Structure formats: C-alpha cells, structure tokens
Amino acid sequence: DAGVTQSPTHLIKTRGQQVTLRCSPISGHKSVSWYQQVLGQGPQFIFQYYEKEERGRGNFPDRFSARQFPNYSSELNVNALLLGDSALYLCASSLAGSGNTIYFGEGSWLTVV
Amino acid sequence: QKEVEQNSGPLSVPEGAIASLNCTYSDRVSQSFFWYRQYSGKSPELIMSIYSNGDKEDGRFTAQLNKASQYVSLLIRDSQPSDSATYLCAVSLNNAGGTSYGKLTFGQGTILTVHP
C-alpha cells in the first residue's frame, strides 16, 4: 500500500512569493495534519484537518492556510514567504481520534532565498 | 518550560551498548506517547508507541512510561551503527472533546551516534 505522498519534494522560492504543497494520505485515512520542521528542531504542528474541516491550528501566522479535499488529500499554502519559512514541511495522516498512529510522508523541502 | 523536553545530547555509545533516551512532558492530560527515528534528510519514522504506565518491548527497543513523573524513555539494546539518527519524542495532547485529531507535540530531538 502507498504511504503518505507529498509533492514537490524540493523547491526554491523567493521572498514574498507564494507556495502550495500537496499531500495524499494513506488510503482509508481521513485525517491529515501538517508540520514544519526547521533544521535542528522537532516538527511543529501547523494544521490538522479531518473530514474536510479544520480541527486544530498551531501557532503560525495567517500567511499559512490549508484545505482538505473530498478525496482527503490536502494542500498547504504559504503566502508572502519569509527566509524563516525555509524548512521541511511534513504531512501526516491517521485514521482519526485520540492515540491513533500518525504516519509521516517524506516531506517537502522548501528553501526561501 | 517547554511542553516536551528531551535530553540534549548528542549521545554517543559504542556498538553493542544500551542507549538510553529520555523525555519529560508538561501536560498531565497527555494520553499517547511516541518515539520517532529520523535519519538525516529523511522524515520521522515511528518506532514505538506507548499509552499505559510501564514498559513496552519491541525487539531491541523498550519504551517506558511513568505518567506520575511525566516521563517517558526509550532504551535501545545492542545498539548498532544503523541506529545512529535523531530520536524524537512526541506526545499527543487530548483536547476538551477527548480527541487529539492528529496533533503531536515534539521534543527537540536527541542525536544518537553509535560508533563501532
């Protein structure tokens, strides 16, 4: 079975630009969450979506937005990119609910120059 | 105080030794605890989950949870050079509705090096 798939794997953007990252969850998983991992730190929670509704949001500015589609895939959008947005963006999927195992995709490496 | 703290590392152990990784968390309502392994340039990979007080063993890995002390640890027996990676402790926090909906709070990670 396919795991969590993310695209693109690597991208370089200029300050002020916008970026869209895409994620397809494991088949049957209805919950998708997004994390940002800056070099040398643990992942930080950005968003969680379940059944196409936002269920949680981390401490990130409004420049960050996301959505989930009827097929449970998801997009993360970041506007007005800053140098500090350079990070590994991880998508994770799970069945739902408390304690369910969360599986990560390979991530999208974003470099802002 | 950080929500999840790990021993700062880096931790270096000889091949065949036991590696001990520690993690403390601040929120007493935390219910689910995970250890992820992350190789350089790769995404986190789940290696252990634990939900109840006590020990849970899986091959060379043992997770230990003490909710009263808000402490979770990971022991790696017979450490191998292939175990060299960053180990991330993650905690699932229940919201008022009793479900975490996929939110994990991670520690900063501990870099483990196993030398031959």
Side-chain angles (χ1 to χ4, degrees), chain B residues 37-69:
Chain B
R37 176 177 62 199
Q38 187 173 28
Y39 292 114
S40 181
K42 299 295 186 181
S43 64
E45 171 194 11
L46 180 69
I47 53 174
M48 289 288 287
S49 59
I50 186 166
Y51 306 99
S52 304
N53 280 327
D55 296 357
K56 179 181 178 182
E57 186 174 318
D58 184 0
R60 296 185 296 111
F61 299 96
T62 299
Q64 299 173 318
L65 175 62
N66 184 327
K67 290 187 177 181
S69 300

mmCIF file of all heavy atoms in Angstrom, chain B residues 37-69:
data_model
loop_
_atom_site.group_PDB
_atom_site.id
_atom_site.type_symbol
_atom_site.label_atom_id
_atom_site.label_comp_id
_atom_site.label_asym_id
_atom_site.label_seq_id
_atom_site.Cartn_x
_atom_site.Cartn_y
_atom_site.Cartn_z
ATOM 1 N N ARG B 37 12.148 7.924 14.913
ATOM 2 C CA ARG B 37 13.547 7.966 14.497
ATOM 3 C C ARG B 37 13.610 8.759 13.193
ATOM 4 O O ARG B 37 12.796 8.541 12.291
ATOM 5 C CB ARG B 37 14.081 6.553 14.290
ATOM 6 C CG ARG B 37 15.513 6.466 13.772
ATOM 7 C CD ARG B 37 15.946 5.008 13.682
ATOM 8 N NE ARG B 37 15.134 4.242 12.751
ATOM 9 C CZ ARG B 37 15.043 2.918 12.749
ATOM 10 N NH1 ARG B 37 15.735 2.205 13.634
ATOM 11 N NH2 ARG B 37 14.285 2.302 11.863
ATOM 12 N N GLN B 38 14.580 9.635 13.102
ATOM 13 C CA GLN B 38 14.721 10.440 11.898
ATOM 14 C C GLN B 38 16.176 10.421 11.446
ATOM 15 O O GLN B 38 17.062 10.949 12.124
ATOM 16 C CB GLN B 38 14.256 11.881 12.140
ATOM 17 C CG GLN B 38 14.222 12.735 10.881
ATOM 18 C CD GLN B 38 13.601 14.102 11.108
ATOM 19 O OE1 GLN B 38 13.648 14.653 12.205
ATOM 20 N NE2 GLN B 38 13.000 14.667 10.066
ATOM 21 N N TYR B 39 16.397 9.811 10.299
ATOM 22 C CA TYR B 39 17.717 9.846 9.687
ATOM 23 C C TYR B 39 17.899 11.194 9.000
ATOM 24 O O TYR B 39 16.928 11.831 8.581
ATOM 25 C CB TYR B 39 17.889 8.711 8.688
ATOM 26 C CG TYR B 39 17.923 7.332 9.315
ATOM 27 C CD1 TYR B 39 16.915 6.400 9.072
ATOM 28 C CD2 TYR B 39 18.970 6.953 10.152
ATOM 29 C CE1 TYR B 39 16.938 5.144 9.644
ATOM 30 C CE2 TYR B 39 19.005 5.697 10.731
ATOM 31 C CZ TYR B 39 17.982 4.804 10.474
ATOM 32 O OH TYR B 39 18.015 3.548 11.047
ATOM 33 N N SER B 40 19.145 11.596 8.891
ATOM 34 C CA SER B 40 19.462 12.895 8.296
ATOM 35 C C SER B 40 18.859 13.030 6.901
ATOM 36 O O SER B 40 19.049 12.164 6.044
ATOM 37 C CB SER B 40 20.977 13.068 8.225
ATOM 38 O OG SER B 40 21.301 14.322 7.683
ATOM 39 N N GLY B 41 18.099 14.077 6.699
ATOM 40 C CA GLY B 41 17.497 14.340 5.403
ATOM 41 C C GLY B 41 16.232 13.556 5.119
ATOM 42 O O GLY B 41 15.677 13.655 4.017
ATOM 43 N N LYS B 42 15.767 12.802 6.100
ATOM 44 C CA LYS B 42 14.563 11.976 5.918
ATOM 45 C C LYS B 42 13.460 12.423 6.858
ATOM 46 O O LYS B 42 13.672 13.256 7.742
ATOM 47 C CB LYS B 42 14.897 10.498 6.178
ATOM 48 C CG LYS B 42 15.941 9.923 5.235
ATOM 49 C CD LYS B 42 15.437 9.888 3.814
ATOM 50 C CE LYS B 42 16.416 9.177 2.896
ATOM 51 N NZ LYS B 42 15.931 9.156 1.487
ATOM 52 N N SER B 43 12.276 11.862 6.673
ATOM 53 C CA SER B 43 11.144 12.201 7.539
ATOM 54 C C SER B 43 11.142 11.285 8.762
ATOM 55 O O SER B 43 11.773 10.223 8.769
ATOM 56 C CB SER B 43 9.838 12.062 6.753
ATOM 57 O OG SER B 43 9.635 10.726 6.365
ATOM 58 N N PRO B 44 10.422 11.675 9.819
ATOM 59 C CA PRO B 44 10.351 10.828 11.019
ATOM 60 C C PRO B 44 9.653 9.494 10.750
ATOM 61 O O PRO B 44 8.658 9.440 10.023
ATOM 62 C CB PRO B 44 9.533 11.681 11.997
ATOM 63 C CG PRO B 44 9.666 13.081 11.509
ATOM 64 C CD PRO B 44 9.744 12.972 10.017
ATOM 65 N N GLU B 45 10.177 8.467 11.376
ATOM 66 C CA GLU B 45 9.649 7.109 11.231
ATOM 67 C C GLU B 45 9.262 6.610 12.616
ATOM 68 O O GLU B 45 10.086 6.606 13.537
ATOM 69 C CB GLU B 45 10.722 6.218 10.618
ATOM 70 C CG GLU B 45 10.404 4.745 10.597
ATOM 71 C CD GLU B 45 11.626 3.903 10.290
ATOM 72 O OE1 GLU B 45 12.754 4.443 10.306
ATOM 73 O OE2 GLU B 45 11.477 2.696 10.051
ATOM 74 N N LEU B 46 8.018 6.179 12.777
ATOM 75 C CA LEU B 46 7.556 5.702 14.074
ATOM 76 C C LEU B 46 8.243 4.386 14.441
ATOM 77 O O LEU B 46 8.266 3.445 13.647
ATOM 78 C CB LEU B 46 6.045 5.495 14.050
ATOM 79 C CG LEU B 46 5.427 4.990 15.350
ATOM 80 C CD1 LEU B 46 5.501 6.072 16.422
ATOM 81 C CD2 LEU B 46 3.985 4.556 15.125
ATOM 82 N N ILE B 47 8.816 4.340 15.657
ATOM 83 C CA ILE B 47 9.422 3.094 16.106
ATOM 84 C C ILE B 47 8.712 2.515 17.332
ATOM 85 O O ILE B 47 8.727 1.297 17.519
ATOM 86 C CB ILE B 47 10.932 3.243 16.387
ATOM 87 C CG1 ILE B 47 11.225 4.410 17.346
ATOM 88 C CG2 ILE B 47 11.694 3.426 15.096
ATOM 89 C CD1 ILE B 47 12.682 4.477 17.751
ATOM 90 N N MET B 48 8.107 3.351 18.165
ATOM 91 C CA MET B 48 7.418 2.837 19.341
ATOM 92 C C MET B 48 6.275 3.766 19.709
ATOM 93 O O MET B 48 6.381 4.985 19.571
ATOM 94 C CB MET B 48 8.362 2.737 20.544
ATOM 95 C CG MET B 48 9.408 1.657 20.471
ATOM 96 S SD MET B 48 8.720 0.006 20.687
ATOM 97 C CE MET B 48 8.363 0.020 22.450
ATOM 98 N N SER B 49 5.204 3.189 20.217
ATOM 99 C CA SER B 49 4.129 3.960 20.824
ATOM 100 C C SER B 49 3.799 3.315 22.164
ATOM 101 O O SER B 49 3.933 2.102 22.325
ATOM 102 C CB SER B 49 2.891 3.977 19.926
ATOM 103 O OG SER B 49 2.430 2.661 19.687
ATOM 104 N N ILE B 50 3.384 4.139 23.127
ATOM 105 C CA ILE B 50 3.049 3.611 24.443
ATOM 106 C C ILE B 50 1.947 4.462 25.032
ATOM 107 O O ILE B 50 1.939 5.693 24.886
ATOM 108 C CB ILE B 50 4.299 3.545 25.359
ATOM 109 C CG1 ILE B 50 3.981 2.846 26.682
ATOM 110 C CG2 ILE B 50 4.912 4.929 25.572
ATOM 111 C CD1 ILE B 50 5.220 2.434 27.482
ATOM 112 N N TYR B 51 0.987 3.807 25.673
ATOM 113 C CA TYR B 51 -0.190 4.506 26.158
ATOM 114 C C TYR B 51 -0.426 4.308 27.661
ATOM 115 O O TYR B 51 -1.125 5.096 28.288
ATOM 116 C CB TYR B 51 -1.439 4.037 25.404
ATOM 117 C CG TYR B 51 -1.306 4.135 23.912
ATOM 118 C CD1 TYR B 51 -0.993 3.026 23.138
ATOM 119 C CD2 TYR B 51 -1.474 5.351 23.259
ATOM 120 C CE1 TYR B 51 -0.855 3.119 21.756
ATOM 121 C CE2 TYR B 51 -1.341 5.461 21.877
ATOM 122 C CZ TYR B 51 -1.040 4.333 21.137
ATOM 123 O OH TYR B 51 -0.900 4.430 19.776
ATOM 124 N N SER B 52 0.148 3.218 28.216
ATOM 125 C CA SER B 52 -0.084 2.891 29.618
ATOM 126 C C SER B 52 1.221 2.902 30.385
ATOM 127 O O SER B 52 2.296 2.664 29.828
ATOM 128 C CB SER B 52 -0.720 1.501 29.729
ATOM 129 O OG SER B 52 -1.906 1.422 28.987
ATOM 130 N N ASN B 53 1.117 3.146 31.685
ATOM 131 C CA ASN B 53 2.302 3.113 32.533
ATOM 132 C C ASN B 53 3.006 1.756 32.446
ATOM 133 O O ASN B 53 2.360 0.720 32.314
ATOM 134 C CB ASN B 53 1.916 3.377 33.996
ATOM 135 C CG ASN B 53 1.723 4.842 34.279
ATOM 136 O OD1 ASN B 53 2.376 5.704 33.701
ATOM 137 N ND2 ASN B 53 0.791 5.137 35.172
ATOM 138 N N GLY B 54 4.323 1.789 32.505
ATOM 139 C CA GLY B 54 5.085 0.555 32.489
ATOM 140 C C GLY B 54 5.997 0.486 31.291
ATOM 141 O O GLY B 54 6.344 1.497 30.697
ATOM 142 N N ASP B 55 6.388 -0.729 30.964
ATOM 143 C CA ASP B 55 7.321 -0.976 29.873
ATOM 144 C C ASP B 55 6.612 -1.621 28.696
ATOM 145 O O ASP B 55 5.681 -2.404 28.859
ATOM 146 C CB ASP B 55 8.445 -1.910 30.328
ATOM 147 C CG ASP B 55 9.308 -1.290 31.411
ATOM 148 O OD1 ASP B 55 9.067 -0.117 31.766
ATOM 149 O OD2 ASP B 55 10.226 -1.974 31.902
ATOM 150 N N LYS B 56 7.088 -1.296 27.510
ATOM 151 C CA LYS B 56 6.628 -1.942 26.286
ATOM 152 C C LYS B 56 7.853 -2.275 25.465
ATOM 153 O O LYS B 56 8.664 -1.406 25.180
ATOM 154 C CB LYS B 56 5.687 -1.031 25.500
ATOM 155 C CG LYS B 56 5.191 -1.648 24.198
ATOM 156 C CD LYS B 56 4.287 -0.683 23.457
ATOM 157 C CE LYS B 56 3.818 -1.268 22.143
ATOM 158 N NZ LYS B 56 2.959 -0.304 21.391
ATOM 159 N N GLU B 57 7.981 -3.550 25.114
ATOM 160 C CA GLU B 57 9.163 -4.005 24.407
ATOM 161 C C GLU B 57 8.818 -4.390 22.974
ATOM 162 O O GLU B 57 7.772 -4.996 22.707
ATOM 163 C CB GLU B 57 9.769 -5.211 25.144
ATOM 164 C CG GLU B 57 11.093 -5.691 24.592
ATOM 165 C CD GLU B 57 11.694 -6.798 25.455
ATOM 166 O OE1 GLU B 57 11.639 -6.696 26.694
ATOM 167 O OE2 GLU B 57 12.210 -7.782 24.874
ATOM 168 N N ASP B 58 9.716 -4.058 22.062
ATOM 169 C CA ASP B 58 9.569 -4.442 20.664
ATOM 170 C C ASP B 58 10.964 -4.668 20.105
ATOM 171 O O ASP B 58 11.657 -3.718 19.765
ATOM 172 C CB ASP B 58 8.833 -3.363 19.875
ATOM 173 C CG ASP B 58 8.567 -3.761 18.437
ATOM 174 O OD1 ASP B 58 8.945 -4.884 18.028
ATOM 175 O OD2 ASP B 58 7.981 -2.948 17.693
ATOM 176 N N GLY B 59 11.364 -5.934 20.055
ATOM 177 C CA GLY B 59 12.704 -6.240 19.589
ATOM 178 C C GLY B 59 13.757 -5.650 20.497
ATOM 179 O O GLY B 59 13.748 -5.869 21.712
ATOM 180 N N ARG B 60 14.662 -4.870 19.924
ATOM 181 C CA ARG B 60 15.728 -4.261 20.731
ATOM 182 C C ARG B 60 15.280 -2.982 21.435
ATOM 183 O O ARG B 60 16.059 -2.384 22.179
ATOM 184 C CB ARG B 60 16.927 -3.948 19.827
ATOM 185 C CG ARG B 60 17.580 -5.179 19.213
ATOM 186 C CD ARG B 60 18.844 -4.821 18.427
ATOM 187 N NE ARG B 60 18.578 -3.971 17.282
ATOM 188 C CZ ARG B 60 18.952 -2.696 17.186
ATOM 189 N NH1 ARG B 60 19.597 -2.106 18.184
ATOM 190 N NH2 ARG B 60 18.690 -2.010 16.091
ATOM 191 N N PHE B 61 14.057 -2.553 21.194
ATOM 192 C CA PHE B 61 13.562 -1.294 21.744
ATOM 193 C C PHE B 61 12.616 -1.546 22.922
ATOM 194 O O PHE B 61 11.767 -2.431 22.869
ATOM 195 C CB PHE B 61 12.812 -0.495 20.674
ATOM 196 C CG PHE B 61 13.643 -0.116 19.486
ATOM 197 C CD1 PHE B 61 13.627 -0.880 18.333
ATOM 198 C CD2 PHE B 61 14.448 1.002 19.526
ATOM 199 C CE1 PHE B 61 14.400 -0.528 17.231
ATOM 200 C CE2 PHE B 61 15.219 1.372 18.434
ATOM 201 C CZ PHE B 61 15.186 0.609 17.288
ATOM 202 N N THR B 62 12.782 -0.746 23.975
ATOM 203 C CA THR B 62 11.859 -0.755 25.104
ATOM 204 C C THR B 62 11.475 0.670 25.432
ATOM 205 O O THR B 62 12.344 1.509 25.673
ATOM 206 C CB THR B 62 12.487 -1.399 26.348
ATOM 207 O OG1 THR B 62 12.827 -2.761 26.060
ATOM 208 C CG2 THR B 62 11.510 -1.378 27.522
ATOM 209 N N ALA B 63 10.175 0.930 25.428
ATOM 210 C CA ALA B 63 9.672 2.235 25.862
ATOM 211 C C ALA B 63 9.163 2.100 27.286
ATOM 212 O O ALA B 63 8.561 1.093 27.651
ATOM 213 C CB ALA B 63 8.559 2.718 24.937
ATOM 214 N N GLN B 64 9.420 3.113 28.075
ATOM 215 C CA GLN B 64 8.983 3.123 29.461
ATOM 216 C C GLN B 64 8.196 4.404 29.716
ATOM 217 O O GLN B 64 8.622 5.483 29.314
ATOM 218 C CB GLN B 64 10.198 3.070 30.405
ATOM 219 C CG GLN B 64 11.043 1.819 30.242
ATOM 220 C CD GLN B 64 12.318 1.868 31.070
ATOM 221 O OE1 GLN B 64 12.986 2.900 31.136
ATOM 222 N NE2 GLN B 64 12.658 0.755 31.693
ATOM 223 N N LEU B 65 7.042 4.271 30.361
ATOM 224 C CA LEU B 65 6.183 5.417 30.636
ATOM 225 C C LEU B 65 5.859 5.489 32.119
ATOM 226 O O LEU B 65 5.464 4.479 32.718
ATOM 227 C CB LEU B 65 4.892 5.323 29.817
ATOM 228 C CG LEU B 65 3.822 6.378 30.081
ATOM 229 C CD1 LEU B 65 4.339 7.778 29.765
ATOM 230 C CD2 LEU B 65 2.564 6.077 29.270
ATOM 231 N N ASN B 66 6.002 6.676 32.676
ATOM 232 C CA ASN B 66 5.629 6.940 34.060
ATOM 233 C C ASN B 66 4.823 8.233 34.057
ATOM 234 O O ASN B 66 5.376 9.326 34.039
ATOM 235 C CB ASN B 66 6.869 7.065 34.942
ATOM 236 C CG ASN B 66 6.526 7.250 36.411
ATOM 237 O OD1 ASN B 66 5.518 7.869 36.756
ATOM 238 N ND2 ASN B 66 7.362 6.717 37.289
ATOM 239 N N LYS B 67 3.508 8.101 34.061
ATOM 240 C CA LYS B 67 2.646 9.283 33.963
ATOM 241 C C LYS B 67 2.713 10.125 35.227
ATOM 242 O O LYS B 67 2.577 11.351 35.165
ATOM 243 C CB LYS B 67 1.209 8.872 33.666
ATOM 244 C CG LYS B 67 1.012 8.330 32.258
ATOM 245 C CD LYS B 67 -0.470 8.110 31.965
ATOM 246 C CE LYS B 67 -0.675 7.635 30.535
ATOM 247 N NZ LYS B 67 -2.115 7.439 30.218
ATOM 248 N N ALA B 68 2.929 9.506 36.372
ATOM 249 C CA ALA B 68 3.012 10.280 37.618
ATOM 250 C C ALA B 68 4.210 11.222 37.588
ATOM 251 O O ALA B 68 4.129 12.368 38.055
ATOM 252 C CB ALA B 68 3.107 9.338 38.813
ATOM 253 N N SER B 69 5.300 10.761 37.010
ATOM 254 C CA SER B 69 6.507 11.580 36.898
ATOM 255 C C SER B 69 6.562 12.343 35.586
ATOM 256 O O SER B 69 7.509 13.102 35.354
ATOM 257 C CB SER B 69 7.758 10.699 37.043
ATOM 258 O OG SER B 69 7.771 10.042 38.290
#
